[in-house]
Each structure stands twice: as C-alpha cells, then as structure tokens.
Amino acid sequence: VGLGNIGDEYRGTRHNIGFMILDAFAEASNISFTTDRYGDVAHMRLKNKLLTLVKPSTYMNLSGKAVRYWKEKEGIDNHILVLVDDIALPFGAIRLKPSGSDAGHNGLKNIAQMLGSAAYPRLRFGIGNDFPRGCQIDYVLGRFTPAQREELPQRIEIACDAIKAFCLSGIQFAMCNFNNNGPAPAKGTATSKNTDNNATD
C-alpha cells in the first residue's frame, strides 16, 4: 500500500512518495492500475507470490479504510507493507520495520485504528526536514528540490528492490539488506533538527 493524496495538486509532492514508489514498482513490471473501491488497484505475480498494489483514494487521513477493505477482500493476514514518507530520515534513506508507532503521521495512525493494531510492516522513505519550525505542512505538501528530483529515481528503484525482498524473503531479510542503504545527507541538508511530528493532513 502506497500512501498519498489524490488530485493533481498533490502529484509529485513529498507526502505522495508512497504513490510514486508504487507507480514505479508497477511500471517496472508493465502493470497498470485500475480504479476500484477505495483506490487505484493492480494485481501482479512476483515469482510465486500474488501481490495486490493499492493506492488509496481516501486521502491520507483515511488510508486505513482502504487498507482494511483490501486486506479483508484479499484474505491477507500480516503480509501488508505500507509505503510512507518520513521527515525523521534524510532524503532518500529507507527504513523498514515490522511494526511501530505512527510518529504523528495521520496515514499510519488511521491504519492502526482501522486494523486495531500497529503491528503491520512499513517502509519509511526519508524526505528530510529542511524547513523552518511551523512550516512542516507546507514542506511535506511541497515538491522535491531539483537536486532531489535528479536523485529520486535511483532512490525509488532501491525502495522497489526492498519491496521485492519483503515479498519474497520477509521483513527481517529486507531490513538486514536495505535499512543501511541510504545516502549520506547532502551538504546543507537537515536530518533531524526539528522535533515536530509528521504532517497532520
């Protein structure tokens, strides 16, 4: 499940990195999304695994509604991976976890509420936090810098490889092989100077 907000005004924003990763993942396998209940959905086979790719149309705050629906429809237990932006990580860094808190991210918060548990795997993609205090929402709903856009395809490709590792070998294998695969912070880029939680929309 890639998290994001629908609509042209949100296309390509930092908060929509989940959509962007899932688009790249599907495109690499020549898979197209179709509009279905609560989102754009695609089905594909990865070796011996059948995957359901979901981009919720519920907007970020109600992401859990789509996750719960498709989890129940497809009969999926804990084999869910949520792709989400994270301001606590430097741009392009990837961190997988089997569970955890929502850290103030409303998409993750709603998923935990709808599933009744925060024990679901997530892939956090760093978007950095180079913004003045109080400007967090504008930052996450803003677009990547030209330098970041140049580097973004490579970082998204690595995230796609991490998804494959999760699907084929499990969360522990994916964590061991991808959690240290992140770029060093660019010169002049903040990594964790702000203590604000993730965006509230």
Side-chain angles (χ1 to χ4, degrees):
V1 182
L3 300 192
N5 288 309
I6 60 172
D8 289 341
E9 66 268 37
Y10 298 111
R11 193 183 311 277
T13 61
R14 295 179 176 93
H15 218 24
N16 270 31
I17 190 64
F19 280 9
M20 297 167 71
I21 294 171
L22 214 54
D23 282 338
F25 188 81
E27 184 178 355
S29 298
N30 295 315
I31 301 297
S32 299
F33 286 91
T34 58
T35 299
D36 207 318
R37 190 170 183 184
Y38 298 135
D40 289 344
V41 180
H43 298 277
M44 63 173 286
R45 186 169 293 278
L46 181 65
K47 294 189 177 179
N48 64 332
K49 307 293 185 181
L50 183 62
L51 310 184
T52 300
L53 314 182
V54 180
K55 297 188 297 179
S57 59
T58 55
Y59 290 98
M60 187 68 77
N61 285 359
L62 298 177
S63 298
K65 191 172 185 178
V67 174
R68 185 176 68 178
Y69 173 80
W70 285 100
K71 175 182 184 294
E72 294 175 352
K73 179 177 174 60
E74 299 295 327
I76 298 168
D77 48 27
N78 196 40
H79 297 287
I80 299 172
L81 182 64
V82 176
L83 318 175
V84 63
D85 60 296
D86 197 314
I87 62 170
L89 297 174
F91 168 77
I94 294 169
R95 295 292 182 274
L96 292 111
K97 293 183 66 178
S99 62
S101 72
D102 57 61
H105 194 291
N106 280 352
L108 297 182
K109 183 182 300 182
N110 187 249
I111 292 173
Q113 290 172 346
M114 297 299 285
L115 297 184
S117 171
Y120 59 86
R122 69 283 310 270
L123 184 156
R124 299 154 54 210
F125 188 99
I127 60 171
N129 62 0
D130 191 16
F131 57 87
R133 186 171 297 278
C135 296
Q136 177 177 319
I137 293 177
D138 290 340
Y139 177 79
V140 300
L141 294 181
R143 287 169 171 78
F144 293 100
T145 66
Q148 290 172 339
R149 287 199 296 271
E150 185 174 337
E151 191 176 356
L152 196 56
Q154 179 189 16
R155 303 312 307 172
I156 288 178
E157 183 177 358
I158 293 172
C160 290
D161 288 341
I163 295 171
K164 293 178 184 177
F166 168 82
C167 294
L168 297 176
S169 302
I171 185 66
Q172 294 300 327
F173 177 87
M175 289 169 60
C176 288
N177 284 272
F178 289 92
N179 275 5
N180 292 322
N181 192 349
K187 184 177 180 181
T189 299
T191 57
S192 59
K193 68 179 182 180
N194 291 291
T195 57
D196 295 347
N197 287 332
N198 280 9
T200 56
D201 63 301

